[in-house]
Amino acid sequence: MNEIFGIPLPALLGQLMLGLVNGSFYALLSLGLAVIFGMLHIINFAHGALYMMGAMFSWLAMVYLGIGYWRSLLLVPLFVGAIGIVIERFLLQWIYKLDPLYGLLLTFGVALIIGGGFRYVFGSSGQPYSIPPELGGAVDLGFMFLPKYRMWVIVASLTICFATWFMIEKTRLGAYLRAGTENPGLTQAFGINVPVMVMLTYAFGTALAAFAGVLAAPTTQVSPLMSSNMIITVFAVVVIGGMGSIMGSIITGLGLGVIEGLTKVFYAQASSTVVFIVMVIVLMVRPAGLFGKEK
Amino acid sequence: MTDKTVATARPEAEPILETHGLVKEFRGFVAVDGVDLKIRRGHIHALIGPNGAGKTTCFNLLTKFLQPTRGTIRFKGRDITGEAPQRIARTGMVRSFQISAVFPHMTVLENVKVALQRKLGTTFHFWESGASLRRLDEQAMALLASVGLERYADMVTVEMPYGRKRALEIATTLALEPELMLLDEPTQGMGHEDVELVMQLIKKVSVNRTILMVEHNMKVVSGICDAITVLARGAILAEGDYDAVSSNPLVIEAYMGSEAAQLAGAH
Amino acid sequence: MNARKSSIAYVIGFALLLAAPAAIYPVLIMKVLCFALFACAFNLLLGYTGLLSFGHAMFLGGSAYLTGHALTAWELPTLAGLALGTLGGAVLGALVGMLAIRRQGIYFAMVTLALAQLMYFVLLQSSFSGGENGLQGVPRGSLFGLDLANDYILYYLIVVLFSLTFWLIQRTIQSPFGQTLKAIRENEPRAISLGYDVDRYKLLAFVLSAGLAGLAGSMKTVLFGFATLTDAHWNTSGEVVLMTLLGGMGTVLGPIAGATVIVSLHSELADKVGSLVTVITGFLFVFCVLVFRRGIVGEGIALYHRMIGEKYR
Ligand SMILES: Nc1ncnc2c1ncn2[C@@H]1O[C@H](COP(=O)(O)OP(=O)(O)OP(=O)(O)O)[C@@H](O)[C@H]1O
Ligand SMILES: [Mg+2]
């Protein structure tokens, strides 16, 4: 069988694969949002900008410093995580006592500063970033070619996602984190430095975004505009999944990527809106979100 | 199982509120565990129990701020288990909250008028002048007078001391003329004199109505309550009048330490 | 300030508006008025209901297109086109509101933002809206035989519409409905326990706000003769938040002050610094959130109270 509903199988699988790639980015980003929200009670509007920064920095590192993909994959998230620390120390820490809406507005401002700044310096045109030679080419499955880089993106993202899930749900460090979320005063009394934990959580979330950015660089045109709509889609993902569960974020992100990919095959016009339409449906039938725990 | 002592103090009035097997679970944690509550019309009924016993959760279930996991609630003979919280208020059961439930940046008078104005049927009229609410002033002042707050009518509520805010809450609740009033720790955090005042106030407003209150102060409980239900770890431990409950060994054990002493002392 | 003093102030303000075209280019004032109206409508929601919509551009943009289409393709008279835009905004507001109000606080903001993005893509892709180019060449039409192509005549129409709407918003804030909104904002659980069906009040506030934002968008189309995707973009949603925040949310005049500052800033800077405008906007956000949460008017009121020696929360 080579066709499904009149669509050639390789094309379908190709889009499925692309959907999984996008879904991996959604999963990484919404996971970061959920981790940050859990600890800081702030929705990090700057997440998309940090993702873009990840991609831009790896391109800059390549062009100006000769730092290649593999080293960027490690260094850029560390660097952006450090920027996260600066953001947290200089800005976010002053508003923890306020209504969480201020957090959204503040990080929106940060997103504008980063986005506008990069556009001012580097313009809006896209830059190519080449796939590392080890991951070039494709695997021939007989009926289709599987690009190696796409497989790598999916594997790497899922590994990081599950490692994060494991760390938060199954280790002592994660237990401290969860305790800090639920009862900061008590956790502090046990000798854990909550402010530092909060700072590192934000840094970790931003590093995740940057990691996604580095992974994305070879799959797209690297430009300051690459994130401008991303964050809104990720917000929709978060609304659909609900931020109560780490695993929920991962599954929702991947699932929506796939749905988006399949929509491209069957009804391309709707591919940019399908995530929002899913959101509308979820709001109608399950207002708290698929994995939500409100109320 | 629970040891139930039977209330004998008064001739039995019909129950205004009844629950059957009320259960609330939070992510596997059972906060309210099979509670059968029976509140008789005209009583001041106290719900007591150690911290975390599930008293506030019970209130939230009764007033439908939380949906019970299992069980039924009947109010005035009607099943209200599936009602929305705002509907509950309109059928005559009005609650207050453990932490102060005022509208802080409105004046004292406006606070009471918020409760009154819904009945005018103009609360959706965005085109109508605010002056149209003045016709509620007289009624609102009378309510304030009944709790001794008429002199503070124009004060912004945040600026009032704690005890008066609680009195204001009672006035606001009274504005709805509820048949059943639920008060969650109305004397918590008050000084000695304020406690006395609020206690007398509750006694006064209990005429022709039923009151269910959570209360830690045993002086208040022994002073004005007709019936007591003791909750521990979500389940009913004992029921009855003050004498019966306070001499119940299970209750004394559950309270242990200071509160047991308090119980015995007030006896 | 008592009611007499403030109504005198309003009369003076109105008189100044009537005389302003003598000194200032009327198109600029009209642009400010459109955005001021937009921000006032938004403030009704954020400042007086406590709901942060991060997608208000969808009402501005949606109605801008609707009115543009009505005036061009259906050749409706100008006033009817404006009315239709207002109505369209309100209807869209009802739909969006019913969905968004199912989620609270921060989620509400995200839902509105996402729905606005959906609207954006719909406008981008549908056939009537002219895609990337937007709707061009919308005629201003005429009113009672007066040709609105004349900037001065249009100016007085816009001033009248703005003043009426401003009055309506004022009235709403002080009405029994406004008082109920205030109670809900101050203590929602208590309002519920007093028998208020809070979601319906929030929904009505949302519909009113969306309808008036729609009117602002329609006026903008008539003024410039085109509707573009910028009107519906999330940038514009962010801008109206900033106008309200900078001017002072929950104050009557704040949104007008904020809109004036931001619109002037943009018309001063847009050509000179390019995307630095975005950076400046970002810094304004950060500044407002960290140290200027009362906004221009809020700080002004606080200063006034301090000068006359009164306590102000
Ligand atoms: N929304 C919730 N989610 C999870 N657990 C909850 C929730 N609300 C209450 N609980 C838990 O249920 C238990 C009972 O709480 P509740 O507030 O009803 O106690 P209480 O008897 O009113 O105590 P107190 O005397 O301190 O007011 C507590 O252990 C509390 O942590
Ligand atoms: Mg309690």
Side-chain angles (χ1 to χ4, degrees):
Chain A
M1 194 170 101
N2 282 328
E3 291 192 356
I4 294 178
F5 304 129
I7 312 261
L9 195 58
L12 188 69
L13 290 178
Q15 283 301 338
L16 197 67
M17 191 80 182
L18 262 182
L20 277 172
V21 168
N22 271 329
S24 310
F25 298 142
Y26 295 158
L28 274 173
L29 291 177
S30 64
L31 174 67
L33 281 182
V35 169
I36 292 173
F37 185 77
M39 198 72 201
L40 286 77
H41 297 288
I42 282 178
I43 291 286
N44 187 31
F45 214 127
H47 224 66
L50 295 161
Y51 159 83
M52 175 274 286
M53 243 185 184
M56 282 298 288
F57 278 145
S58 46
W59 174 75
L60 287 170
M62 175 79 96
V63 174
Y64 292 99
L65 303 173
I67 296 177
Y69 176 83
W70 297 105
R71 277 191 291 161
S72 278
L73 203 53
L74 181 67
L75 293 179
V76 168
L78 284 178
F79 185 64
V80 174
I83 295 176
I85 288 183
V86 172
I87 296 175
E88 199 277 337
R89 281 294 93 186
F90 280 88
L91 305 174
L92 299 185
Q93 70 150 319
W94 305 111
I95 60 160
Y96 292 147
K97 296 221 163 54
L98 304 178
D99 189 311
L101 291 177
Y102 282 110
L104 188 73
L105 299 180
L106 183 62
T107 49
F108 180 68
V110 172
L112 291 182
I113 295 172
I114 297 174
F118 270 81
R119 243 182 309 147
Y120 185 70
V121 179
F122 301 104
S124 314
S125 53
Q127 307 291 344
Y129 187 93
S130 48
I131 294 175
E134 298 85 340
L135 295 173
V139 183
D140 189 351
L141 294 183
F143 60 96
M144 71 175 289
F145 289 97
L146 262 187
K148 280 190 205 157
Y149 190 78
R150 290 184 190 163
M151 288 200 293
W152 157 248
V153 169
I154 297 167
V155 170
S157 312
L158 288 186
T159 310
I160 294 289
C161 282
F162 286 111
T164 307
W165 170 79
F166 186 81
M167 187 182 77
I168 290 177
E169 301 284 340
K170 303 285 171 203
T171 66
R172 165 166 288 186
L173 177 66
Y176 289 150
L177 274 176
R178 278 176 285 134
T181 315
E182 271 154 34
N183 196 337
L186 194 65
T187 315
Q188 190 105 31
F190 281 124
I192 294 156
N193 191 333
V194 174
V196 168
M197 206 159 76
V198 167
M199 180 182 89
L200 293 179
T201 304
Y202 189 74
F204 179 71
T206 54
L208 277 182
F211 181 77
V214 185
L215 280 182
T219 66
T220 171
Q221 293 281 308
V222 178
S223 104
L225 291 182
M226 65 187 275
S227 71
S228 63
N229 292 330
M230 185 79 164
I231 186 67
I232 303 178
T233 311
V234 174
F235 277 178
V237 171
V238 163
V239 171
I240 292 168
M243 268 181 303
S245 117
I246 300 283
M247 195 53 102
S249 309
I250 302 172
I251 295 170
T252 316
L254 273 181
L256 285 167
V258 169
I259 291 177
E260 212 178 46
L262 292 181
T263 313
K264 280 206 185 93
V265 183
F266 291 107
Y267 190 68
Q269 297 93 310
S271 63
S272 50
T273 48
V274 67
V275 172
F276 303 108
I277 292 166
V278 172
M279 183 188 82
V280 168
I281 295 168
V282 168
L283 279 174
M284 287 197 290
V285 297
R286 233 191 108 100
L290 297 181
F291 300 88
K293 286 184 212 143
E294 288 169 275
K295 281 212 171 162
Chain B
M1 276 313 289
T2 54
D3 176 314
K4 288 183 186 170
T5 26
V6 184
T8 49
R10 279 189 186 186
E12 300 288 287
E14 42 146 344
I16 185 168
L17 182 74
E18 258 183 302
T19 70
H20 273 289
L22 209 55
V23 174
K24 181 66 192 180
E25 291 173 10
F26 294 113
R27 288 193 240 166
F29 170 76
V30 186
V32 171
D33 190 2
V35 165
D36 297 327
L37 207 57
K38 194 177 271 188
I39 314 295
R40 300 195 177 281
R41 200 180 271 279
H43 272 189
I44 301 183
H45 192 125
L47 187 62
I48 67 171
N51 288 102
K55 304 177 297 288
T56 300
T57 308
C58 254
F59 267 34
N60 284 332
L61 293 174
L62 295 177
T63 50
K64 300 311 312 301
F65 275 67
L66 288 173
Q67 184 62 30
T69 313
R70 275 188 297 283
T72 56
I73 309 166
R74 296 180 80 79
F75 178 55
K76 295 194 283 184
R78 205 168 61 83
D79 192 328
I80 56 161
T81 319
E83 285 281 18
Q86 66 270 15
R87 306 282 320 165
I88 299 291
R90 294 183 217 170
T91 56
M93 176 179 355
V94 183
R95 69 175 297 185
S96 75
F97 293 81
Q98 185 162 355
I99 30 169
S100 145
V102 291
F103 302 110
H105 299 106
M106 298 171 99
T107 68
V108 171
L109 188 69
E110 282 173 333
N111 260 269
V112 180
K113 280 162 75 176
V114 169
L116 291 172
Q117 73 198 35
R118 195 169 49 76
K119 270 179 264 157
L120 290 180
T122 60
T123 44
F124 285 106
H125 293 189
F126 59 86
W127 56 88
E128 199 154 332
S129 152
S132 67
L133 292 176
R134 289 219 191 102
R135 61 188 137 141
L136 296 173
D137 283 359
E138 202 179 320
Q139 204 184 343
M141 283 308 284
L143 281 161
L144 285 179
S146 73
V147 300
L149 287 179
E150 69 274 34
R151 273 183 299 142
Y152 308 100
D154 292 325
M155 197 178 222
V156 179
T157 308
V158 264
E159 288 166 12
M160 290 214 300
Y162 188 73
R164 290 201 190 118
K165 278 188 203 150
R166 304 258 32 178
L168 173 60
E169 268 179 67
I170 293 180
T172 310
T173 305
L174 283 176
L176 296 186
E177 295 168 11
E179 288 173 69
L180 174 61
M181 252 169 109
L182 275 59
L183 305 173
D184 199 348
E185 306 202 19
T187 67
Q188 189 199 33
M190 280 188 189
H192 197 67
E193 278 164 37
D194 278 345
V195 170
E196 191 64 34
L197 270 170
V198 169
M199 185 170 140
Q200 292 315 322
L201 182 59
I202 292 172
K203 184 78 197 160
K204 188 169 116 192
V205 304
S206 72
V207 177
N208 293 330
R209 39 176 78 78
T210 315
I211 292 179
L212 173 63
M213 60 194 277
V214 172
E215 187 52 71
H216 279 303
N217 188 324
M218 286 307 144
K219 216 174 116 260
V220 177
V221 174
S222 64
I224 60 172
C225 295
D226 304 294
I228 298 167
T229 299
V230 186
L231 216 56
R233 290 202 211 92
I236 294 183
L237 192 65
E239 263 179 324
D241 64 9
Y242 186 76
D243 293 327
V245 165
S246 63
S247 57
N248 185 321
L250 282 175
V251 176
I252 296 179
E253 192 189 333
Y255 267 87
M256 284 201 301
S258 67
E259 277 175 288
Q262 209 185 31
L263 239 116
H267 189 48
Chain C
M1 256 193 286
N2 61 33
R4 267 246 336 268
K5 262 195 228 161
S6 52
S7 44
I8 293 173
Y10 289 140
V11 171
I12 295 175
F14 186 64
L16 282 179
L17 259 187
L18 292 182
I24 310 169
Y25 180 46
V27 172
L28 180 63
I29 315 178
M30 285 190 272
K31 186 175 176 192
V32 168
L33 287 178
C34 288
F35 278 100
L37 176 55
F38 184 30
C40 285
F42 178 78
N43 189 38
L44 183 61
L45 206 55
L46 178 61
Y48 293 96
T49 317
L51 293 176
L52 172 58
S53 156
F54 226 109
H56 246 47
M58 77 180 120
F59 307 118
L60 184 86
S63 294
Y65 274 92
L66 180 59
T67 299
H69 190 67
L71 296 186
T72 329
W74 304 333
E75 296 175 9
L76 286 191
T78 309
L79 266 193
L82 291 170
L84 187 70
T86 314
L87 191 70
V91 170
L92 183 61
L95 293 176
V96 170
M98 275 190 276
L99 279 176
I101 282 165
R102 290 161 168 254
R103 299 290 281 269
Q104 316 278 317
I106 207 99
Y107 285 99
F108 180 87
M110 288 195 281
V111 170
T112 45
L113 177 63
L115 291 173
Q117 189 74 353
L118 178 59
M119 178 77 187
Y120 179 84
F121 282 120
V122 168
L123 288 176
L124 179 64
Q125 292 174 353
S126 56
S127 53
F128 84 95
S129 60
E132 306 266 1
N133 300 323
L135 274 184
Q136 304 285 342
V138 179
R140 280 187 185 175
S142 62
L143 183 70
F144 310 132
L146 296 169
D147 188 1
L148 293 172
N150 181 330
D151 281 346
Y152 290 91
I153 294 175
L154 181 67
Y155 178 81
Y156 288 104
L157 173 65
I158 285 191
V159 165
V160 167
L161 284 175
F162 174 82
S163 305
L164 282 177
T165 319
F166 181 76
W167 175 83
L168 179 69
I169 291 176
Q170 273 284 81
R171 181 89 172 178
T172 303
I173 292 165
Q174 281 154 9
S175 70
F177 174 65
Q179 195 71 3
T180 310
L181 286 184
K182 185 169 181 193
I184 292 172
R185 195 183 67 218
E186 293 253 294
N187 192 339
E188 183 167 333
R190 182 53 168 166
I192 296 172
S193 83
L194 294 176
Y196 285 101
D197 198 341
V198 295
D199 283 355
R200 290 161 116 215
Y201 294 87
K202 289 182 186 170
L203 183 59
L204 177 57
F206 198 87
V207 170
L208 286 174
S209 175
L212 297 179
L215 174 60
S218 304
M219 280 166 32
K220 200 168 159 295
T221 301
V222 172
L223 170 61
F224 291 113
F226 56 76
T228 65
L229 284 171
T230 317
D231 298 334
H233 195 261
W234 56 263
N235 246 327
T236 306
S237 295
E239 237 149 56
V240 75
V241 178
L242 182 59
M243 288 172 188
T244 309
L245 195 64
L246 178 66
M249 61 173 153
T251 63
V252 175
L253 296 175
I256 301 177
T260 312
V261 172
I262 300 292
V263 172
S264 325
L265 195 73
H266 275 253
S267 59
E268 278 299 307
L269 293 181
D271 309 330
K272 295 175 201 154
V273 297
S275 48
L276 269 192
V277 174
T278 314
V279 180
I280 294 169
T281 312
F283 274 110
L284 275 176
F285 258 104
V286 171
F287 167 74
C288 284
V289 171
L290 288 184
V291 296
F292 201 63
R293 284 189 290 276
R294 283 177 183 153
I296 298 168
V297 172
E299 287 295 339
I301 295 174
L303 187 68
Y304 170 79
H305 281 269
R306 231 173 300 144
M307 281 191 325
I308 62 170
E310 236 179 60
K311 199 159 67 171
Y312 182 72
R313 52 158 162 133

